[in-house]
Amino acid sequence: MLDTLILSRIQFAANISFHILFPTITIALGWLLFYFKVRFDISKHPVWMRAYRFWVKVFALTFALGVVSGITMSFQFGTNWPGFMESIGNIAGPLLAYEILTAFFLEATMLGIMLFGFHKVPRWVHTLATFLVALGTTFSAFWILVLNSWMQTPAGFEMIDGVAHATDWWAIIFNPSFPYRFTHMLLASGLTVCFLVAGISAYRLLKGDNKKAPKLTLKTALLSAAILAPTQVLVGDFHGLNTLEHQPQKIAAMEGIWHTQEGAPLVLFAIPDEETQQNRFAIEIPKLASLILTHDPNGELKGLNEFAGEHPPVAPVFYSFRVMVGMGMLMLLMAWWGSYQLLRKKGLKPLQLKVLVAMTFSGWVATLAGWYVTEIGRQPYLVYGVLKTRDAVTTVPGEHVAMTLTMYLLLYVVLLVAYIKTLFWLANRAVEVEEYDLTRPGLAENRSQPLTENSPDTRTGAAL
């Protein structure tokens, strides 16, 4: 007999894992496109428009996949988790509606102008549309993170006959963990986009693309990452302290602390053994976990022993946290190394370019790992302290869930492969395009004359 609860959790995890990849890109990429457009409006230098035109195609493709995958995810609230909406629909329903009204409608309306309005509206209108699309992606992240944060640290409600009723919307929206989660997610999106742009730009350079656009976007991405990465480390520390206050069992699982102790060590690596409640083959730094989390090397940290039956599965939280931190540190080092080379040496070596290509989707790895820490770390609750996961699951037979799960997984693999191949197809096509439109009169004799925003959309002008 297939377990409906386990299969439903896997299915939702698969859906959210696939979906989150795309908003993680569009949130920050929208603002990067706005930056490119403003720089073009101010300088009139066509290289900024070339960068804009290439990356706006990536944005459109990513936005489309994000919308489609988000719809299938929302269906599961009714099909797999009816108890979720029955219990806290009075909170979740309005928040999801606000996301549609303030974010999706704004994005969908302005996206058409952003994609097709180059020559059809005044320049300032096109720039405004780009700004509003970027703002819409941030509004979307705002409302989704409000709901997710409320599920982690619920506030501003009361339970009446098993149903949550709002008593203070201000407290619901700005619940205790929201500021940290929202900021952490925005920075994660920024880093994801920085390494996506750097990786694709590095790929173009390795393919022999000596035009100005990929060099400019590579520099912009690396310098931005060099600032965002250490900021993310600082925000992550604040986020950890907030989690320790409100969800100490999650911190205990992240750090592999089985028993309450003073001067807890920082476990760099281990194999958690939940049966014997110990870490095998542990590599530790004495007292460092207490120092980081309590700012006292002898500070006390609660162990998992104090949350019997109320703590998450340790291994996935423990490993995911280390993947997230490890990838974050790698991104920080690469951003600083690359920025130093660009500023002092005026260029990157082939080895650095190859590393950047390999790290094109490193932001996805870090984001997914962090998301698993957050969501698995909330178990056994769906809404922390209010609604347990097992109490919200459907009564649909496990076989039916297994069938739809298989279909989802196959479809997601196909779409993800197609998406990645399309990105590199766009990059290869951009490599083959001439930097200047030689079909324009006079340019065959004077190739230094650049394209402008109002140049005809010939093959050479549109693909850069």
Side-chain angles (χ1 to χ4, degrees):
M1 180 67 68
L2 297 174
D3 191 320
T4 299
L5 174 61
I6 297 299
L7 289 172
S8 293
R9 287 182 61 189
I10 294 174
Q11 181 166 297
F12 194 83
N15 273 268
I16 190 64
S17 296
F18 182 75
H19 171 69
I20 198 176
L21 300 178
F22 305 106
T24 302
I25 291 175
T26 55
I27 293 167
L29 186 55
W31 291 109
L32 186 63
L33 287 170
F34 176 63
Y35 170 74
F36 289 158
K37 189 60 169 60
V38 169
R39 289 299 301 267
F40 173 77
D41 290 344
I42 293 173
S43 69
K44 305 299 188 295
H45 197 297
V47 69
W48 294 106
M49 182 50 65
R50 295 190 192 108
Y52 182 96
R53 286 191 173 186
F54 177 84
W55 285 103
V56 79
K57 297 172 185 176
V58 176
F59 181 92
L61 175 64
T62 309
F63 182 84
L65 283 173
V67 171
V68 172
S69 59
I71 292 173
T72 60
M73 184 183 66
S74 62
F75 283 162
Q76 292 182 60
F77 289 140
T79 58
N80 293 66
W81 304 100
F84 176 76
M85 296 305 289
E86 289 174 2
S87 179
I88 60 124
N90 293 330
I91 308 293
L95 293 179
L96 293 172
Y98 297 153
E99 192 262 340
I100 297 296
L101 293 173
T102 65
F104 183 73
F105 285 169
L106 180 62
E107 294 172 273
T109 303
M110 293 295 110
L111 187 63
I113 300 175
M114 178 178 166
L115 294 178
F116 307 111
F118 288 112
H119 310 305
K120 296 178 176 61
V121 297
R123 181 179 298 169
W124 70 268
V125 174
H126 184 263
T127 302
L128 178 62
T130 303
F131 169 77
L132 291 176
V133 168
L135 186 64
T137 63
T138 305
F139 277 158
S140 181
F142 177 90
W143 291 113
I144 295 301
L145 265 295
V146 165
L147 176 56
N148 181 264
S149 299
W150 183 84
M151 292 167 64
Q152 302 281 346
T153 52
F157 74 104
E158 63 178 354
M159 297 297 293
I160 301 176
D161 297 327
V163 177
H165 293 267
T167 58
D168 185 348
W169 279 105
W170 186 265
I172 289 172
I173 294 172
F174 296 99
N175 59 79
S177 67
F178 170 73
Y180 305 97
R181 297 182 189 280
F182 182 57
T183 306
H184 199 55
M185 186 63 204
L186 291 184
L187 290 170
S189 175
L191 283 169
T192 299
V193 168
C194 284
F195 277 88
L196 174 70
V197 173
I200 296 295
S201 300
Y203 177 81
R204 290 176 61 176
L205 293 175
L206 286 171
K207 287 291 184 177
D209 191 345
N210 291 317
K211 294 188 285 293
K212 292 180 180 179
K215 297 175 184 177
L216 181 68
T217 53
L218 175 62
K219 184 176 182 179
T220 301
L222 278 180
L223 293 178
S224 299
I227 298 172
L228 294 177
T231 306
Q232 181 71 304
V233 172
L234 180 62
V235 171
D237 179 61
F238 289 139
H239 189 9
L241 296 177
N242 177 264
T243 304
L244 177 64
E245 178 182 357
H246 296 281
Q247 296 176 302
Q249 66 271 53
K250 181 186 292 187
I251 290 293
M254 290 162 56
E255 300 295 342
I257 301 174
W258 296 97
H259 303 281
T260 299
Q261 58 183 303
E262 297 179 353
L266 179 67
V267 182
L268 298 178
F269 178 78
I271 300 177
D273 187 337
E274 202 152 348
E275 290 187 4
T276 61
Q277 294 190 349
Q278 63 177 330
N279 297 318
R280 299 186 180 278
F281 310 107
I283 301 174
E284 304 174 340
I285 301 178
K287 299 189 176 183
L288 188 56
S290 288
L291 179 62
I292 293 174
L293 292 166
T294 68
H295 297 168
D296 178 359
N298 296 310
E300 182 181 273
L301 292 178
K302 291 183 178 180
L304 292 163
N305 63 300
E306 297 200 22
F307 307 99
E310 297 287 316
H311 68 73
V314 178
V317 177
F318 182 87
Y319 291 131
S320 295
F321 179 68
R322 276 144 189 80
V323 170
M324 179 189 70
V325 173
M327 186 57 69
M329 291 296 102
L330 182 60
M331 295 166 79
L332 172 63
L333 292 175
M334 189 60 209
W336 281 358
W337 183 30
S339 296
Y340 172 81
Q341 284 292 117
L342 284 174
L343 295 176
R344 293 296 182 90
K345 308 296 183 180
K346 305 303 180 183
L348 298 183
K349 298 177 181 179
L351 175 61
Q352 290 173 304
L353 294 175
K354 291 177 182 178
V355 172
L356 284 174
V357 173
M359 294 181 66
T360 300
F361 301 103
S362 56
W364 277 359
V365 176
T367 298
L368 284 177
W371 198 256
Y372 295 155
V373 171
T374 296
E375 300 308 302
I376 300 175
R378 187 182 56 216
Q379 297 302 318
Y381 289 99
L382 199 56
V383 179
Y384 182 71
V386 176
L387 176 65
K388 287 196 172 183
T389 306
R390 66 170 181 262
D391 296 329
V393 73
T394 182
T395 56
V396 170
E399 290 77 8
H400 294 184
V401 181
M403 179 180 65
T404 55
L405 171 60
T406 302
M407 295 171 60
Y408 275 130
L409 291 176
L410 291 174
L411 178 61
Y412 288 160
V413 168
V414 171
L415 289 176
L416 189 59
V417 171
Y419 174 80
I420 293 173
K421 292 189 70 172
T422 301
L423 291 188
F424 284 97
W425 177 84
L426 288 171
N428 282 315
R429 184 167 181 261
V431 171
E432 298 169 359
V433 171
E434 294 290 338
E435 183 166 16
Y436 304 109
D437 185 355
L438 302 182
T439 65
R440 290 181 58 194
L443 287 190
E445 294 78 24
N446 180 15
R447 299 190 180 188
S448 63
Q449 183 177 349
L451 286 169
T452 65
E453 183 187 25
N454 295 320
S455 301
D457 277 342
T458 61
R459 179 179 181 274
T460 55
L464 285 166

